């Protein structure tokens, strides 16, 4: 209590006045984020420009805060797509589980983190807010060309890496 | 009559200036604390963030200010005013230049000490009126701390008074024309610094509001501008103690080339910055450590200082 350590402490702290601050002045200096940074959620399209999402509901199921809401619809060509797709960013915790769960690489998290809004309901993003025109982080992946489901222009057994369907009623080995 | 009006006008002007100074000082402190912590502090509002305190004031004025249920309403509202008024009154006797004092009374120093002592009452009043146990504990600490530091705050100054032979601020400064009292009274200066920090309830001696064990101590229940007034009182007290230190130990307005009030302002600013520096560095002592230091170390030391000064002064006058 009576020692002189406090003098050394004062000098050390005083010296800090001449050290350049470490702070990043945020709005002027944007932080450098990597593509894997988990920010705003987007829905991507495949290389042909078609929606990747097949409305399988895995993302909504795995979401720990339940901020994803979607409904399935079937197009005329037999493809599935989400009729509506909503992400409530007021609840989203940006955990990335939805991205992990997605079998079609449709839902992806981007490094965009500037999501502030004045009104809370402006944070509910509808499908047209989420859907982007590009492929996102996963390039050249077409879910429908590897899936076994038949769609116009691709019958069963014609997908990539897919063997022709087995004729269960045939007698040949 | 005319004289009274002039005095009143100057008083109001002085209060305005002081409030602006206290506001600016909050910004200076936040900036300095930021820099020693390798960050910037407020730097958005106004040039270099210098108008941050204006924005904060506007914000704090629009906040709801509501006594907690069960509080003694009158005292709850009165306490913040009691925190700020005596300190403002204390500035009335501070001489910032030769003859530049609102009121140059002969017992200016005594008046100042009395006004500084009154701030502890605000803490106790606010604490008791808040009807909150943490507040009450803070208030009791404020009272005990006041008992501890007030004793050697007064005694550490008496050496200066003995050498200068007066309680008047002007005459104390005039007595330092040859050599500043910091040279003659280093121990007194050190003790006054410690007591002054405690009197202003500043870190490391902000035990009445120590946030890690008492939430915010006596200001726990305060919101809005009544909270702001407590803070204003604290920052004004820092400026007052700095001004007092300059007057007593650092030659007041004396200095070459520049006019007296400028010197006074510069010296006060340096001491006020030192307050921030100390705050940024030293950890808060435990409550009993402060009390035992005050009673067992500081009080005997100040008595020793007083005795030695007395012997020297008597020997000088005898020879």
């Amino acid at each position: 209590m009576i020692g002189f350590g406090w003098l050394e402490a004062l000098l050390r702290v005083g010296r800090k006045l001449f050290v350049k601050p470490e702070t990043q002045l945020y709005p002027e200096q944007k932080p450098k984020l990597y593509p894997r940074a988990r920010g705003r959620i987007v829905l991507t399209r495949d290389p042909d420009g078609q929606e990747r999402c097949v409305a399988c509901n895995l993302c909504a199921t795995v979401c720990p805060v339940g901020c994803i809401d979607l409904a399935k619809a079937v197009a005329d060509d037999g493809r599935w797509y989400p009729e509506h797709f909503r992400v409530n960013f007021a609840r989203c915790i940006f955990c990335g589980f939805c991205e992990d769960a997605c079998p079609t690489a449709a839902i992806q998290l981007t490094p965009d983190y500037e999501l502030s809004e004045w009104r809370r309901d402006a944070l509910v993003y509808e499908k047209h807010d989420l859907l982007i025109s590009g492929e996102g982080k996963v390039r050249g992946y077409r879910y429908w060309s590897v899936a076994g489901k038949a769609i116009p222009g691709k019958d069963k057994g014609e997908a990539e890496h897919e063997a022709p369907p087995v004729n269960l009623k045939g007698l040949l080995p | 009559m005319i004289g009274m009006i002039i005095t009143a006008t100057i008083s109001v002007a002085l209060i305005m200036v002081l409030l602006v100074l206290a506001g600016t000082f909050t910004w200076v402190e936040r900036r300095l604390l930021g820099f020693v912590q390798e960050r910037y502090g407020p730097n958005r509002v106004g040039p270099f963030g210098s108008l941050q305190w204006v924005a904060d004031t506007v914000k704090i004025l629009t906040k709801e200010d509501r006594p907690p249920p069960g509080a003694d309403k009158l005292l709850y509202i009165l306490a913040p005013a009691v925190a700020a008024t005596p300190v403002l009154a204390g500035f009335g006797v501070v001489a910032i230049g030769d003859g530049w004092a609102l009121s140059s009374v002969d017992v200016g120093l005594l008046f100042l000490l009395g006004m500084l002592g009154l701030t502890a009452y605000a803490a106790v009043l606010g604490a008791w009126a808040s009807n909150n146990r943490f507040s009450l504990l803070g208030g009791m600490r404020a009272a005990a701390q006041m008992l501890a530091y007030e004793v050697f705050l007064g005694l550490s100054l008496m050496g200066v008074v003995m050498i200068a032979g007066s309680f008047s601020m002007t005459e104390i400064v005039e007595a330092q024309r040859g050599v500043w009292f910091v040279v003659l009274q280093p121990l007194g200066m050190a003790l006054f610094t410690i007591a002054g920090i405690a009197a202003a309830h500043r870190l490391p001696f902000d035990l009445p509001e120590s946030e890690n064990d008492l939430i915010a101590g006596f200001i726990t229940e305060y919101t809005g501008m009544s909270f702001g007034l407590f803070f204003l009182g604290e920052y004004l007290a820092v400026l007052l103690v700095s001004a007092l230190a300059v007057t007593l130990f650092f030659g007041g307005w004396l200095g070459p080339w520049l006019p007296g009030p400028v010197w006074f302002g510069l010296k006060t600013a340096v001491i006020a910055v030192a307050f921030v520096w100390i705050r940024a560095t030293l950890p808060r002592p435990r409550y009993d450590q402060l009390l035992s230091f005050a009673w067992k170390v500081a009080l005997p030391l100040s008595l020793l200082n007083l005795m030695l000064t007395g012997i020297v002064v008597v020997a000088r006058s005898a020879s």
Side-chain angles (χ1 to χ4, degrees):
Chain A
M1 196 172 180
I2 318 289
F4 285 95
W6 55 272
L7 265 180
E8 194 199 341
L10 277 176
L11 285 177
R12 275 166 182 259
V13 170
R15 264 210 311 265
K16 287 280 178 189
L17 267 181
F18 306 103
V19 175
K20 198 177 179 319
E22 297 277 341
T23 318
Q24 278 190 8
L25 293 169
Y26 158 59
E28 292 91 19
Q29 304 173 3
K30 305 281 185 193
K32 185 189 170 201
L33 291 178
Y34 291 90
R36 65 173 179 221
R38 299 196 303 247
R40 181 168 61 92
I41 291 171
V42 292
L43 287 175
T44 57
R45 294 175 187 270
D46 65 14
D48 309 326
Q50 297 198 298
E51 277 181 53
R52 273 179 173 153
C53 181
V54 293
C56 66
N57 247 314
L58 281 174
C59 51
T61 309
V62 80
C63 182
V65 290
C67 69
I68 303 178
D69 178 48
L70 70 158
K72 192 190 87 177
V74 182
D76 296 336
D77 58 0
R79 292 188 187 214
W80 292 3
Y81 70 95
E83 191 178 19
H84 73 261
F85 200 108
R86 243 171 237 142
V87 178
N88 185 354
F89 281 106
R91 301 185 72 173
C92 180
I93 58 171
F94 303 98
C95 61
F97 283 7
C98 48
E99 187 178 10
D100 281 352
C102 185
T104 67
I107 192 164
Q108 291 180 14
L109 277 75
T110 60
D112 177 17
Y113 53 90
E114 288 168 320
L115 293 170
S116 317
E117 292 285 351
W118 290 105
R119 289 177 301 113
R120 188 169 281 258
D121 49 353
L123 285 166
V124 178
Y125 280 41
E126 294 292 341
K127 187 173 162 187
H128 57 86
D129 304 317
L130 296 166
L131 198 62
I132 62 170
S133 55
E135 298 171 63
K137 291 178 274 191
V138 184
R139 304 270 171 184
Y141 175 67
R142 293 176 185 80
Y143 171 75
W144 287 105
S145 65
V146 295
K149 188 168 162 52
I151 51 167
K154 188 207 79 173
D155 214 346
K156 275 196 183 286
E158 289 174 7
E160 294 168 27
H161 316 298
E162 193 187 20
V166 176
N167 185 358
L168 293 174
K169 291 174 179 152
L171 289 173
L172 289 172
Chain B
M1 187 61 196
I2 299 286
M4 270 174 71
I5 293 173
I6 291 173
T7 314
T9 317
I10 296 175
S11 307
V12 171
L14 183 68
I15 289 174
M16 292 299 164
V17 170
L18 284 172
L19 293 183
V20 171
L21 277 180
T24 318
F25 183 51
T26 61
W27 167 70
V28 169
E29 169 168 47
R30 286 170 68 188
R31 254 352 259 270
L32 283 175
L33 283 179
F35 281 136
V36 297
Q37 290 160 5
E38 296 184 26
R39 56 188 177 87
Y40 284 102
N43 62 350
R44 294 285 151 184
V45 192
F48 302 105
S50 55
L51 294 179
Q52 181 70 43
W53 66 275
V54 181
D56 288 342
T57 310
V58 170
K59 180 193 168 199
I60 214 169
L61 277 170
T62 52
K63 277 196 162 190
E64 188 185 12
D65 187 6
R66 185 166 171 274
D72 188 320
K73 288 227 169 52
L74 180 66
L75 291 184
Y76 178 88
I77 293 163
L78 204 61
V82 177
T85 336
V87 189
L88 281 173
F91 276 103
V93 296
V94 174
I96 60 168
D98 199 1
W100 281 56
L102 193 62
S103 151
S104 52
V105 286
D106 289 339
V107 288
L109 190 52
L110 278 184
F111 178 75
L112 256 179
L113 288 179
M115 287 298 132
L116 264 182
L118 273 179
T119 54
Y121 287 90
V124 176
L125 270 185
W128 185 79
S130 291
N131 190 29
N132 176 324
R133 282 173 184 78
F134 286 112
S135 293
L136 191 60
L137 280 172
M140 287 170 67
R141 284 189 183 188
Q145 182 176 320
M146 200 256 302
L147 286 181
Y149 70 73
E150 201 75 18
V151 177
F152 71 93
L153 173 66
L155 284 176
S156 64
L157 300 184
M158 287 310 120
V160 170
V161 174
M162 278 161 125
I163 300 175
S166 169
F167 274 110
S168 156
M169 311 282 276
T170 318
E171 283 180 36
I172 289 173
V173 175
E174 283 299 333
Q176 298 177 67
R177 277 220 181 266
V179 56
W180 290 358
F181 283 153
V182 67
V183 182
L184 304 177
Q185 290 278 322
L187 186 58
M189 206 277 298
L191 289 168
F192 173 75
T193 309
I194 298 170
I197 295 171
H201 295 152
R202 288 283 294 183
L203 275 136
F205 299 125
D206 69 337
L207 294 160
E209 48 185 296
S210 61
E211 73 279 349
N212 43 13
D213 46 352
L214 289 186
I215 309 172
F218 65 97
I219 40 179
T220 303
E221 295 289 354
Y222 279 91
T223 53
M225 203 52 212
S226 49
F227 172 83
L229 268 178
F230 270 122
F231 257 75
L232 207 62
E234 182 181 318
Y235 282 96
L236 284 171
V238 171
L239 294 178
L240 184 59
V241 171
S242 307
L244 196 53
V246 169
T247 308
L248 294 170
F249 295 105
F250 294 97
W253 65 80
L254 299 177
W257 309 307
L258 294 172
V262 176
W263 269 115
F264 187 84
L266 281 178
K267 290 173 180 174
T268 312
V270 168
I271 308 250
V273 165
F275 261 90
V276 178
W277 187 10
I278 289 169
R279 171 187 180 162
T281 308
L282 298 182
R284 185 188 291 129
R286 221 170 48 221
Y287 178 54
D288 58 305
Q289 284 173 340
L290 170 65
L291 288 190
S292 67
F293 171 78
W295 287 108
K296 292 179 189 163
V297 181
L299 179 58
L301 276 179
S302 60
L303 286 172
L304 182 75
N305 182 43
L306 198 59
M307 197 175 74
L308 292 178
T309 316
I311 290 171
V312 172
V313 168
V314 170
R316 268 234 186 123
S317 61
S319 63

